Amino acid sequence: EPEVTQTPSHQVTQMGQEVILRCVPISNHLYFYWYRQILGQKVEFLVSFYNNEISEKSEIFDDQFSVERPDGSNFTLKIRSTKLEDSAMYFCASRPSTGQGHAGSEQYFGPGTRLTVT
Amino acid sequence: AQSVTQLGSHVSVSEGALVLLRCNYSSSVPPYLFWYVQYPNQGLQLLLKYTSAATLVKGINGFEAEFKKSETSFHLTKPSAHMSDAAEYFCAVSGGLSSNTGKLIFGQGTTLQVKP
Protein backbone atom coordinates (compact mmCIF):
# COMPACT_ATOMS: atom_id res chain seq x y z
CA GLU A 1 0.00 0.00 0.00
CA PRO A 2 1.41 3.41 -0.92
CA GLU A 3 2.48 5.57 1.99
CA VAL A 4 3.95 8.96 2.75
CA THR A 5 7.56 8.80 3.88
CA GLN A 6 9.59 11.36 5.79
CA THR A 7 13.30 11.75 6.43
CA PRO A 8 15.04 11.98 8.76
CA SER A 9 13.03 10.48 11.59
CA HIS A 10 14.92 12.61 14.09
CA GLN A 11 16.95 15.77 13.47
CA VAL A 12 18.99 17.57 16.09
CA THR A 13 20.26 21.03 15.23
CA GLN A 14 21.68 24.07 16.93
CA MET A 15 19.74 27.29 17.26
CA GLY A 16 20.24 29.52 14.25
CA GLN A 17 21.01 26.68 11.86
CA GLU A 18 19.00 25.89 8.76
CA VAL A 19 17.18 22.59 8.51
CA ILE A 20 15.40 20.87 5.65
CA LEU A 21 12.77 18.26 6.38
CA ARG A 22 11.97 15.94 3.53
CA CYS A 23 8.80 14.17 2.54
CA VAL A 24 7.86 11.90 -0.32
CA PRO A 25 4.08 12.07 -0.79
CA ILE A 26 2.04 9.35 -2.43
CA SER A 27 2.83 9.48 -6.13
CA ASN A 28 -0.57 10.40 -7.64
CA HIS A 29 -1.47 12.92 -4.96
CA LEU A 30 -1.62 16.60 -5.80
CA TYR A 31 -2.26 18.37 -2.50
CA PHE A 32 0.47 18.53 0.15
CA TYR A 33 0.56 19.72 3.71
CA TRP A 34 2.88 20.29 6.63
CA TYR A 35 1.71 20.14 10.22
CA ARG A 36 3.61 20.28 13.46
CA GLN A 37 3.03 19.08 17.00
CA ILE A 38 4.93 20.61 19.88
CA LEU A 39 5.31 18.10 22.70
CA GLY A 40 2.14 17.97 24.75
CA GLN A 41 0.19 20.24 22.39
CA LYS A 42 -2.21 19.75 19.52
CA VAL A 43 -1.29 19.09 15.90
CA GLU A 44 -1.19 22.46 14.11
CA PHE A 45 -1.55 23.26 10.42
CA LEU A 46 1.44 25.04 8.88
CA VAL A 47 0.96 25.18 5.13
CA SER A 48 -0.82 23.66 2.16
CA PHE A 49 0.67 23.38 -1.32
CA TYR A 50 -0.98 22.77 -4.67
CA ASN A 51 0.04 23.26 -8.27
CA ASN A 52 3.54 24.31 -7.25
CA GLU A 53 2.47 27.10 -4.98
CA ILE A 54 1.32 27.72 -1.45
CA SER A 55 -2.47 27.66 -1.29
CA GLU A 56 -2.79 28.52 2.38
CA LYS A 57 -0.50 29.14 5.33
CA SER A 58 -1.00 29.67 9.04
CA GLU A 59 0.30 32.45 11.23
CA ILE A 60 3.04 30.09 12.38
CA PHE A 61 4.41 29.88 8.83
CA ASP A 62 6.42 33.10 8.84
CA ASP A 63 9.35 34.19 6.69
CA GLN A 64 11.62 31.66 8.38
CA PHE A 65 9.69 28.83 6.74
CA SER A 66 9.55 27.82 3.11
CA VAL A 67 8.32 24.84 1.14
CA GLU A 68 9.38 23.43 -2.16
CA ARG A 69 8.62 20.57 -4.49
CA PRO A 70 11.97 20.49 -6.28
CA ASP A 71 11.69 17.39 -8.44
CA GLY A 72 8.10 16.21 -8.68
CA SER A 73 8.48 13.62 -5.96
CA ASN A 74 9.96 15.29 -2.88
CA PHE A 75 8.20 17.93 -0.81
CA THR A 76 10.45 19.83 1.57
CA LEU A 77 10.04 22.15 4.51
CA LYS A 78 12.94 24.50 5.21
CA ILE A 79 13.45 26.45 8.38
CA ARG A 80 16.05 29.12 7.71
CA SER A 81 17.23 29.95 11.21
CA THR A 82 15.89 27.59 13.81
CA LYS A 83 14.70 28.73 17.22
CA LEU A 84 14.26 26.69 20.39
CA GLU A 85 10.50 26.94 19.97
CA ASP A 86 10.70 25.19 16.59
CA SER A 87 11.36 21.93 18.43
CA ALA A 88 8.42 19.73 17.51
CA MET A 89 7.25 16.73 15.52
CA TYR A 90 6.67 17.75 11.91
CA PHE A 91 4.16 15.77 9.85
CA CYS A 92 3.81 15.78 6.10
CA ALA A 93 0.49 14.80 4.53
CA SER A 94 -0.89 14.42 1.03
CA ARG A 95 -4.23 13.77 -0.59
CA PRO A 96 -5.47 12.92 -4.05
CA SER A 97 -7.18 15.36 -6.40
CA THR A 98 -10.38 13.38 -6.46
CA GLY A 99 -12.69 12.77 -3.56
CA GLN A 100 -15.44 14.67 -1.86
CA GLY A 101 -14.23 18.13 -2.61
CA HIS A 102 -11.29 19.88 -1.09
CA ALA A 103 -12.24 19.53 2.51
CA GLY A 104 -13.82 16.10 2.68
CA SER A 105 -11.16 13.84 1.26
CA GLU A 106 -8.71 11.94 3.38
CA GLN A 107 -5.21 13.16 4.04
CA TYR A 108 -2.49 10.53 4.31
CA PHE A 109 0.16 11.29 6.92
CA GLY A 110 3.80 10.38 7.14
CA PRO A 111 5.40 9.10 10.37
CA GLY A 112 6.85 12.50 11.20
CA THR A 113 10.27 14.05 11.78
CA ARG A 114 11.15 14.93 15.33
CA LEU A 115 13.12 18.19 15.27
CA THR A 116 15.13 19.08 18.35
CA VAL A 117 16.72 22.53 18.48
CA THR A 118 19.41 22.97 21.14
CA ALA B 1 -13.11 30.14 12.78
CA GLN B 2 -13.32 26.41 13.25
CA SER B 3 -12.15 24.63 16.37
CA VAL B 4 -12.23 21.22 18.03
CA THR B 5 -12.31 20.31 21.70
CA GLN B 6 -11.56 16.83 22.95
CA LEU B 7 -12.75 16.26 26.49
CA GLY B 8 -10.29 14.19 28.48
CA SER B 9 -6.62 14.04 27.56
CA HIS B 10 -6.40 10.51 29.00
CA VAL B 11 -9.04 7.79 29.01
CA SER B 12 -8.50 4.42 30.65
CA VAL B 13 -10.76 1.41 30.07
CA SER B 14 -10.58 -2.28 30.77
CA GLU B 15 -10.24 -4.74 27.93
CA GLY B 16 -13.72 -5.59 26.67
CA ALA B 17 -15.29 -2.40 28.01
CA LEU B 18 -16.96 0.35 26.01
CA VAL B 19 -14.69 3.02 24.58
CA LEU B 20 -16.06 6.57 24.42
CA LEU B 21 -13.84 9.43 23.28
CA ARG B 22 -15.49 12.82 23.21
CA CYS B 23 -15.17 15.49 20.54
CA ASN B 24 -17.03 18.77 20.18
CA TYR B 25 -16.56 21.13 17.30
CA SER B 26 -17.26 24.71 16.45
CA SER B 27 -18.01 25.69 12.87
CA SER B 28 -20.12 28.37 11.25
CA VAL B 29 -20.77 26.15 8.25
CA PRO B 30 -21.45 22.42 7.87
CA PRO B 31 -18.19 20.76 8.78
CA TYR B 32 -16.33 17.72 7.66
CA LEU B 33 -15.18 15.76 10.70
CA PHE B 34 -12.48 13.16 11.10
CA TRP B 35 -11.01 10.84 13.69
CA TYR B 36 -7.37 9.89 13.32
CA VAL B 37 -5.37 7.41 15.40
CA GLN B 38 -1.65 7.52 16.08
CA TYR B 39 0.21 4.47 17.29
CA PRO B 40 3.65 4.93 18.85
CA ASN B 41 6.29 6.05 16.37
CA GLN B 42 3.82 6.08 13.49
CA GLY B 43 1.94 8.71 11.51
CA LEU B 44 -1.73 9.58 11.82
CA GLN B 45 -4.10 7.04 10.32
CA LEU B 46 -7.70 7.81 9.40
CA LEU B 47 -10.26 5.90 11.47
CA LEU B 48 -13.40 7.42 9.97
CA LYS B 49 -14.87 10.60 8.56
CA TYR B 50 -18.17 12.44 8.36
CA THR B 51 -18.86 14.34 5.15
CA SER B 52 -22.59 15.12 5.35
CA ALA B 53 -23.91 11.72 4.36
CA ALA B 54 -25.08 9.33 7.12
CA THR B 55 -24.79 10.76 10.61
CA LEU B 56 -23.61 7.43 12.02
CA VAL B 57 -20.25 6.67 10.52
CA LYS B 58 -18.49 3.34 10.74
CA GLY B 59 -14.73 3.14 10.54
CA ILE B 60 -11.93 0.66 10.76
CA ASN B 61 -11.19 -1.63 13.70
CA GLY B 62 -14.79 -1.58 14.94
CA PHE B 63 -14.94 2.13 15.70
CA GLU B 64 -17.88 4.34 14.88
CA ALA B 65 -18.90 7.92 15.50
CA GLU B 66 -22.17 9.80 15.40
CA PHE B 67 -22.53 13.34 14.13
CA LYS B 68 -24.98 15.30 16.29
CA LYS B 69 -25.52 18.77 14.93
CA SER B 70 -27.68 19.89 17.85
CA GLU B 71 -24.90 19.02 20.27
CA THR B 72 -22.03 19.96 17.92
CA SER B 73 -20.48 16.63 18.80
CA PHE B 74 -18.74 13.78 17.00
CA HIS B 75 -17.94 11.27 19.73
CA LEU B 76 -15.99 8.12 18.92
CA THR B 77 -17.13 4.78 20.31
CA LYS B 78 -16.22 1.13 20.22
CA PRO B 79 -18.34 -1.49 22.00
CA SER B 80 -15.46 -3.61 23.26
CA ALA B 81 -11.91 -2.36 23.76
CA HIS B 82 -8.95 -4.44 22.70
CA MET B 83 -5.41 -4.11 23.96
CA SER B 84 -4.32 -3.09 20.47
CA ASP B 85 -6.58 -0.02 20.65
CA ALA B 86 -4.16 1.70 23.02
CA ALA B 87 -3.03 4.79 21.10
CA GLU B 88 -3.48 8.55 20.71
CA TYR B 89 -6.75 9.62 19.09
CA PHE B 90 -7.29 12.93 17.34
CA CYS B 91 -10.53 14.56 16.28
CA ALA B 92 -10.26 17.06 13.42
CA VAL B 93 -12.49 19.39 11.43
CA SER B 94 -12.12 20.67 7.90
CA GLY B 95 -13.99 22.72 5.41
CA GLY B 96 -16.04 25.83 5.62
CA LEU B 97 -15.70 29.31 4.22
CA SER B 98 -12.42 29.98 6.02
CA SER B 99 -10.60 27.45 3.92
CA ASN B 100 -11.08 25.50 0.75
CA THR B 101 -7.67 23.86 0.88
CA GLY B 102 -8.73 20.96 3.06
CA LYS B 103 -6.52 21.90 5.98
CA LEU B 104 -7.33 20.02 9.18
CA ILE B 105 -7.91 21.69 12.53
CA PHE B 106 -7.12 19.19 15.28
CA GLY B 107 -8.20 18.73 18.85
CA GLN B 108 -5.71 18.22 21.65
CA GLY B 109 -5.79 14.46 21.36
CA THR B 110 -6.87 11.75 23.78
CA THR B 111 -4.59 8.98 24.95
CA LEU B 112 -6.50 5.73 25.29
CA GLN B 113 -5.11 3.22 27.78
CA VAL B 114 -6.53 -0.31 27.78
CA LYS B 115 -6.00 -2.34 30.94
CA PRO B 116 -5.99 -6.15 30.87
Side-chain angles (χ1 to χ4, degrees):
Chain A
E1 184 177 331
E3 58 183 18
V4 177
T5 60
Q6 290 185 243
T7 54
S9 57
H10 191 189
Q11 172 95 44
V12 181
T13 189
Q14 289 189 328
M15 197 166 51
Q17 295 296 304
E18 174 184 286
V19 294
I20 297 176
L21 309 183
R22 301 181 192 280
C23 168
V24 179
I26 295 173
S27 63
N28 63 345
H29 286 189
L30 297 180
Y31 296 85
F32 313 110
Y33 305 84
W34 283 102
Y35 296 84
R36 79 172 186 190
Q37 184 181 29
I38 296 171
L39 189 64
Q41 298 185 25
K42 62 174 67 176
V43 177
E44 302 172 289
F45 167 77
L46 290 178
V47 66
S48 60
F49 191 85
Y50 170 70
N51 200 24
N52 285 320
E53 62 181 20
I54 291 173
S55 49
E56 186 173 359
K57 59 184 180 179
S58 72
E59 293 176 354
I60 302 168
F61 195 89
D62 61 21
D63 291 344
Q64 293 299 312
F65 291 87
S66 63
V67 289
E68 197 176 37
R69 188 156 162 79
D71 55 13
S73 61
N74 289 283
F75 179 50
T76 62
L77 174 69
K78 182 193 291 186
I79 309 174
R80 266 181 267 282
S81 177
T82 51
K83 307 183 187 75
L84 294 176
E85 54 265 36
D86 294 327
S87 294
M89 181 72 89
Y90 288 81
F91 293 105
C92 173
S94 69
R95 69 175 174 87
S97 60
T98 56
Q100 293 166 285
H102 288 288
S105 56
E106 175 183 355
Q107 292 183 27
Y108 294 79
F109 283 79
T113 292
R114 179 163 298 286
L115 176 65
T116 302
V117 182
T118 61
Chain B
Q2 295 176 310
S3 66
V4 174
T5 301
Q6 291 182 241
L7 298 174
S9 58
H10 286 84
V11 171
S12 181
V13 300
S14 298
E15 191 174 18
L18 171 72
V19 175
L20 171 60
L21 304 183
R22 299 178 186 275
C23 172
N24 288 89
Y25 70 90
S26 172
S27 179
S28 58
V29 295
Y32 297 116
L33 293 158
F34 305 81
W35 275 100
Y36 280 85
V37 62
Q38 184 181 29
Y39 299 103
N41 301 314
Q42 294 186 29
L44 285 79
Q45 179 184 4
L46 183 70
L47 274 178
L48 49 80
K49 64 180 180 181
Y50 167 77
T51 56
S52 75
T55 56
L56 183 62
V57 181
K58 294 187 185 299
I60 61 172
N61 301 339
F63 284 93
E64 62 181 39
E66 185 172 8
F67 173 71
K68 292 187 177 180
K69 183 179 177 181
S70 61
E71 299 177 8
T72 61
S73 69
F74 190 57
H75 301 332
L76 182 71
T77 60
K78 181 173 180 178
S80 177
H82 192 272
M83 295 298 291
S84 61
D85 294 327
E88 183 92 13
Y89 291 80
F90 294 94
C91 182
V93 65
S94 179
L97 296 176
S98 62
S99 168
N100 66 353
T101 62
K103 73 176 182 185
L104 294 171
I105 305 297
F106 285 89
Q108 295 275 13
T110 298
T111 301
L112 175 65
Q113 179 187 24
V114 182
K115 297 176 292 186

